[in-house]
Amino acid sequence: MLFLGATAAWLASCTLAASIVPRQNNDTDYKIGNITLDTPWTSTVGTNPWPEYPRPRLQRSYWKNLNGVWRYRNAAEGDLGSPPFGETLEDPVLVPFCLESALSGVTGKGPNGRIYSWYQTPLEIPSDWPSDNSVILNFGAVDYEATVFINGRNAAFHRGGYFEFSVDITPYLNANGTNELMVHVYDPTDQGRTQIPIGKQTLNRGGMIWYTPCSGIWQTVWLESVPSEHISKLDLSADMDGKVNVTVHSSTNSSTLVKVTIYEPHSQNVKATATGSSGTPFVFTVSDPDLWYPDSPTLYNITIKFGSDTVQSYTGFRTISRRAIGGVQRPLLNGKFIFPFGPLDQGFWPDGIYTPPSVEAMRFDLDVLKRVGINMVRKHIKVEPALYYKACDEMGFLVIQDMPSLRPDLPDKNGGCGIIRLEGPNEQAEFNRQLALLIEQLKSYPSIFAWTIYNEEWGQATSPPWPEYPLTDLVRSLDPTRLVNAVSGWTDHRAGDFDDNHHYSTPQCGTPFWSTQGSGPEGSDSAYDKSRIGLQGEFGGIGQYPPKGHSWYTDLNRQTSYELTNSTEDWNYRTHDLLNQLREQTDLFSCSGGVWTQTTDVEGEVNGLITYDRRIIRMNETLWKQDTTALYEAAARRSDTVNATQYAAIVDRSVDGIQVGMP
């Protein structure tokens, strides 16, 4: 077998060398905190992290990155009423790394977490910015509630740990140019009966699937200079027929002339121009666009002019839909059945926790996946920085974007030994609000393929009326251009576009057999639902103990997975076997996509395609490329209507004389 020989050669070839040029290192009292496990980029971060323009879909020329060394103080309940204005806070903190991370310099979650925190930094407005412009302060994400003060005045409040927000700070700035920014952060992760969207974060829950929490500022903070009337939000989509749909939202909610210019790919030659009005959608058509596919992710740069405001953006022309082919519901990209296959992508880092040490580090994971032919990632109950989605757009990844889950394990209200999934209507309403924020923030990225509302019943009401039905309608009303995975795993009441099965380690994708584990009320877990797309939402989870020095925990008892193998050769044998099973289920049944667990090891989970420190790639890349290609070839055999209906007559569908096969 291919994967049982020459292991040393290919393993050596996929071990990453740290050859990254260090960024600037200013003279400060900041230093990296106590670190459990580093990556090849840890020592190169310096004190000017993430210097790239952070919002690629709405770029302006006048901007200033505020990442770097700020001041920090651990706060207490009630401190918001007496902010420490004018004081110099005691500790350095490196923004944008969450407080629990080594790269923040603060490091450590404390016995009750980082519940209350103060951040502080001076603000200097560049002297060459137009004096009659407004100054906007932008935050990529702050977990969980942020109260923003400028020069001792309360300028803004934001709730939601995964979502960007902006503040017009012009009225609060001093004429002499000396300004102070302070941010108070409240993060109630795992506090009492608090139930908020937190994904995989935890303070003290046991088990292999919960990880170090992330508190505070964890995405880029920046200033920009804008005209007093400016573009506040841009919604942009383009389909396979060349139809471009644009909505320009203005800071004043006015109806003003907008001019859109689209350029040829990799060129300044104009492809098309159009005009419309802000505040309402307008549609125009571009002739003969090159379409966006994973293997040819063509993007078009765009300039949008609105009064005296000019922004740069981009789009890709593609259409996502579904229909029956040979009696089987299939996901379509540009009218063609595409088989989305890729890993559960958790986005955790041993040095930065939620924040990769750099854009280069973030793209490394995607580069590895692309080399083996993977065309999809399931972004698992986390939202990434905007530059992640830009990378997926550029590299050709379909993204199944999950909504970050509510805390799923509240103790029983009545003192029983069980747990409840949803605390009450207020928690449901806040989840719904933040789900809408997710859609609005990300819906213009071409790579987004589908939205996931619930993962494995976490925070999902377990008695009717089932919330996934109105939430599916909500998502479709905000974004009718994507598919909706209402429930990934269980409990499934047949809302949305996917019948999504989770099963470790073997797949059960669109098959006439299924596991009864985790079954809920009648009708919630059953055989494949032929009215929807069959998706293996999670499977695999094959693990291997990393070599010494490459794991989060040194104690083998704290390193685990759904299955463990003795060696890299054995790991590749087992993964090949499971991918072959998924291919057979595509050939024989109604499988239309698969999600492998997972991109990297994460803390106690040692089932990654790559180790947590990103230094060792477990995959025999030649074999994995062959296996992913075989999946796509099987899907292609089922993609033609004639072939799909006649395929049973072509393929040998007997096992020990028993006929098996397509529905």
Side-chain angles (χ1 to χ4, degrees), residues 106-305:
V106 176
T107 313
K109 59 187 179 181
N112 296 309
R114 298 283 177 179
I115 306 174
Y116 303 97
S117 301
W118 283 108
Y119 286 81
Q120 175 193 58
T121 191
L123 284 183
E124 294 183 7
I125 309 303
S127 59
D128 62 344
W129 284 7
S131 59
D132 57 347
N133 270 15
S134 298
V135 177
I136 305 297
L137 172 64
N138 301 287
F139 292 85
V142 181
D143 196 359
Y144 172 69
E145 292 181 357
T147 306
V148 180
F149 296 89
I150 305 293
N151 296 323
R153 299 166 66 188
N154 190 328
F157 171 80
H158 176 79
R159 175 182 292 124
Y162 296 92
F163 307 110
E164 62 192 20
F165 64 100
S166 300
V167 187
D168 185 344
I169 62 173
T170 312
Y172 306 98
L173 296 175
N174 290 328
N176 64 9
T178 302
N179 301 282
E180 179 189 53
L181 166 62
M182 297 198 75
V183 182
H184 179 272
V185 178
Y186 169 58
D187 185 1
T189 297
D190 284 352
Q191 299 302 306
R193 298 197 65 83
T194 301
Q195 189 178 38
I196 60 174
I198 57 174
K200 291 290 192 76
Q201 301 179 63
T202 188
L203 287 173
N204 47 36
R205 279 170 282 162
M208 62 181 275
I209 64 170
W210 310 112
Y211 317 134
T212 300
C214 176
S215 303
I217 299 170
W218 67 276
Q219 290 190 27
T220 292
V221 186
W222 79 102
L223 296 172
E224 59 183 338
S225 175
V226 301
S228 56
E229 185 179 33
H230 57 271
I231 298 172
S232 59
K233 184 174 182 287
L234 175 64
D235 298 331
L236 180 62
S237 64
D239 70 16
M240 62 182 284
D241 299 317
K243 185 186 297 183
V244 182
N245 192 317
V246 181
T247 304
V248 173
H249 304 265
S250 79
S251 58
T252 58
N253 296 318
S254 65
S255 179
T256 302
L257 181 69
V258 174
K259 181 178 180 181
V260 178
T261 303
I262 300 180
Y263 302 92
E264 296 282 4
H266 314 294
S267 170
Q268 289 300 307
N269 295 330
V270 174
K271 173 74 171 177
T273 60
T275 58
S277 296
S278 63
T280 57
F282 63 93
V283 178
F284 61 95
T285 300
V286 173
S287 62
D288 301 319
D290 292 334
L291 301 186
W292 187 96
Y293 286 99
D295 58 356
S296 57
T298 304
L299 299 175
Y300 288 79
N301 288 327
I302 299 175
T303 297
I304 298 177
K305 293 187 176 182

Side-chain angles (χ1 to χ4, degrees), residues 434-475:
Q434 293 191 33
L435 174 63
L437 291 180
L438 173 78
I439 308 303
E440 291 290 354
Q441 179 169 314
L442 299 181
K443 67 181 182 181
S444 294
Y445 289 99
S447 55
I448 302 289
F449 177 73
W451 307 105
T452 302
I453 300 174
Y454 286 109
N455 177 72
E456 294 183 355
E457 205 183 68
W458 297 358
Q460 180 185 354
T462 55
S463 60
W466 309 119
E468 57 266 35
Y469 277 96
L471 290 182
T472 297
D473 292 340
L474 171 66
V475 171

Side-chain angles (χ1 to χ4, degrees), residues 328-348:
V328 180
Q329 287 291 319
R330 301 295 193 185
L332 308 179
L333 178 63
N334 301 327
K336 302 175 182 178
F337 171 30
I338 187 166
F339 191 94
F341 174 73
L344 197 73
D345 197 76
Q346 311 241 35
F348 275 77

Side-chain angles (χ1 to χ4, degrees), residues 16-22 40-41 43-44:
L16 182 67
S19 58
I20 301 162
V21 177
W41 303 272
S43 63
T44 70

